[in-house]
Amino acid sequence: SPLPTPEEHAQRAETARFVERFLDGVDDGQRAAFTACVLEGMSVPEAAEALAVNVNTLYSRIRVVRSRFMSALAERDEKR
């Protein structure tokens, strides 16, 4: 695939910074859940096993952190 344009590179860097700042503001359990399931693409059962937590606990954490992420994203987009 072709190399990213400078604009695409800048957008990716901005997105990475946004995600990093967001994750700095959530607790360790939610951060681990988001990282494993959203960023790394693990299934909830896989992530629950890897993180040594109950599957239902992880589903709950994912639901909460995804909701917080969507709210943070909407807030960011309103400021643009």
Side-chain angles (χ1 to χ4, degrees):
S1 70
L3 293 174
T5 66
E7 294 81 14
E8 290 169 333
H9 183 72
Q11 180 62 41
R12 288 178 186 167
E14 179 185 330
T15 299
R17 284 189 302 273
F18 173 79
V19 171
E20 214 171 276
R21 283 190 309 271
F22 170 76
L23 290 175
D24 283 345
V26 300
D27 70 40
D28 291 344
Q30 291 176 356
R31 183 180 309 110
F34 188 89
T35 300
C37 295
V38 177
L39 301 181
E40 296 177 3
M42 295 174 82
S43 71
V44 172
E46 288 174 322
E49 185 175 338
L51 298 170
V53 298
N54 179 283
V55 172
N56 290 329
T57 299
L58 195 59
Y59 274 116
S60 176
R61 289 178 183 170
I62 286 291
R63 187 180 74 260
V64 170
V65 76
R66 279 186 178 153
S67 175
R68 289 182 66 185
F69 183 75
M70 295 308 291
S71 293
L73 200 56
E75 185 178 310
R76 181 195 74 166
D77 290 346
E78 284 176 7
K79 292 178 181 178
R80 288 184 165 188

